[in-house]
């Protein structure tokens, strides 16, 4: 069977509910993982999301900030959340697909929203940047402790780091800009490699191809300037690499009315 998984920082699911519906109608992924839903659990537009053809929805949210959700055509046998860095700030949710998912049964999906880190790349001067580094350190510890890639698993999310040289529009100009500083890129790559996650995008579309999933709202002519960064990722457990058939960024969503500054990333697997 084919399994299609998408990840998208939606930057308010209520504000952009129509965009979610349009994307689901046009791309029809089996699973959509959202970040930055920006609403508490009781304010999630659950019935609307289910009406798009996704009866199984889990959400961990908070008022006005953060929040992660997973929408699925298939039911879950397990769901869980982690409170990263001792904070209840709704940045993680995990599901395992049930036996009704057929060949995808037992597949675990981890949805993360890593802190952005503010503007100053110095943990001594910027508490938000320190939190980001601490968050990635905790992800690294979790990878070593829980062994999440020991079975079939996918890790997705807005990881807020563009780790490789061609994941940004200008490697040299962004080396001291949060999301591409060496301390961040090294931390993300170390935790990925130690846990043996596979960066799905770079399996099928290796460097030096430039690939972006985020374009700043500060750039009014974002498409022409194309000063993007690849902040949104899909990683596969090491045993799933051969199942990967395609992966892409739905760049056109960035040009929709009232868009998120992120675009969805979608992977197709043959299981």
């Amino acid at each position: 069977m084919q399994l299609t998984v998408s990840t998208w920082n939606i930057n308010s699911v209520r504000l952009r509910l129509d965009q979610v519906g349009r994307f689901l109608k046009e791309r029809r992924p089996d699973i959509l993982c959202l970040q930055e839903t920006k609403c508490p659990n009781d304010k999630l537009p659950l019935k609307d999301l289910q009406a798009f053809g996704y009866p199984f929805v889990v959400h961990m949210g908070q008022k006005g900030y953060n929040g992660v959700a997973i929408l699925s055509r298939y039911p879950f046998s397990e769901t869980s959340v982690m409170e990263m860095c001792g904070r209840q700030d709704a940045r993680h949710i995990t599901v395992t697909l049930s036996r009704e998912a057929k060949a995808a049964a037992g597949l675990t999906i981890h949805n993360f929203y890593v802190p952005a880190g503010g503007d100053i790349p110095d943990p001594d001067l910027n508490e938000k940047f320190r939190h980001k580094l601490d968050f990635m350190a905790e992800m690294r510890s979790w990878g070593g402790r829980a062994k999440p890639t020991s079975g079939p698993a996918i890790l997705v999310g807005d990881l807020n780091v563009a780790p490789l040289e061609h994941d940004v529009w200008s490697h040299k100009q962004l080396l001291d800009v949060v999301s591409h500083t060496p301390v961040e890129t090294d931390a993300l790559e170390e935790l990925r490699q130690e846990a043996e996650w596979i960066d799905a995008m770079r399996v099928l579309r290796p460097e030096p191809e430039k690939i972006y999933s985020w374009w700043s709202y500060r750039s009014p002519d974002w498409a022409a300037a194309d000063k993007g960064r690849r902040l949104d990722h899909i990683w596969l457990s090491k045993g799933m690499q051969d199942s990967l058939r395609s992966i892409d960024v739905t760049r056109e969503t960035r040009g929709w009315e009232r868009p998120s500054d992120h675009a969805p990333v979608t992977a197709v697997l043959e299981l």
Side-chain angles (χ1 to χ4, degrees), residues 115-259:
D119 296 324
I120 302 171
D122 186 331
D124 294 326
L125 300 177
N126 178 6
E127 191 277 333
K128 291 181 179 179
F129 193 70
R130 178 178 294 280
H131 179 213
K132 182 176 191 173
L133 298 181
D134 289 346
F135 192 101
M136 286 192 286
E138 195 157 313
M139 286 180 69
R140 183 179 183 180
S141 177
W142 164 74
R145 179 181 69 254
K147 309 296 183 186
T149 62
S150 60
I154 303 174
L155 187 153
V156 308
D158 175 6
L159 305 185
N160 262 313
V161 179
L164 305 179
E165 179 177 346
H166 296 94
D167 290 339
V168 295
W169 64 274
S170 174
H171 173 62
K172 291 183 179 180
Q173 293 184 66
L174 295 181
L175 278 173
D176 60 352
V177 174
V178 172
S179 79
H180 193 60
T181 65
V183 67
E184 295 169 88
T185 59
D186 289 349
L188 190 72
E189 283 295 277
E190 285 171 1
L191 74 87
R192 181 186 68 79
Q193 292 175 19
E194 285 184 4
E196 299 186 280
W197 290 107
I198 304 299
D199 183 349
M201 182 65 78
R202 290 307 186 181
V203 169
L204 296 185
R205 299 172 61 181
E207 292 197 290
E209 181 181 359
K210 284 189 173 292
I211 303 170
Y212 314 138
S213 64
W214 174 89
W215 296 263
S216 174
Y217 285 134
R218 298 174 184 175
S219 177
D221 197 1
W222 69 273
D226 202 24
K227 292 184 175 181
R229 307 176 201 175
R230 186 172 72 102
L231 303 180
D232 305 272
H233 300 265
I234 296 179
W235 295 351
L236 306 177
S237 57
K238 54 186 181 294
M240 295 190 67
Q241 179 172 334
D242 291 344
S243 69
L244 182 63
R245 295 293 175 267
S246 67
I247 186 165
D248 63 80
V249 179
T250 309
R251 177 187 171 108
E252 56 266 30
T253 64
R254 183 62 178 81
W256 290 355
E257 185 178 358
R258 300 180 74 186

Side-chain angles (χ1 to χ4, degrees), residues 87-109:
R87 302 188 184 191
Q88 296 179 334
D89 56 357
R91 291 183 178 275
H92 168 267
I93 197 164
T94 285
V95 301
T96 300
L97 299 182
S98 71
R99 60 185 179 182
E100 287 85 353
K102 302 177 183 178
L107 175 65
T108 299
I109 300 170

Side-chain angles (χ1 to χ4, degrees), residues 1-33:
M1 64 174 282
Q2 277 199 342
L3 184 76
T4 303
V5 178
S6 298
T7 181
W8 193 4
N9 178 320
I10 195 60
N11 193 13
S12 177
V13 67
R14 290 183 292 177
L15 184 63
R16 297 184 172 84
L17 184 62
D18 289 344
Q19 288 93 325
V20 173
R22 178 178 173 181
F23 173 75
L24 292 174
K25 181 179 179 180
E26 293 181 4
R27 291 301 304 264
R28 301 188 61 80
D30 297 296
I31 296 166
L32 173 61
C33 298

Side-chain angles (χ1 to χ4, degrees), residues 17 44-54 57:
L17 184 62
L44 183 77
L46 177 62
K47 292 183 178 179
D48 295 299
L49 295 172
Q50 291 173 325
F52 294 144
Y54 295 79
V57 179

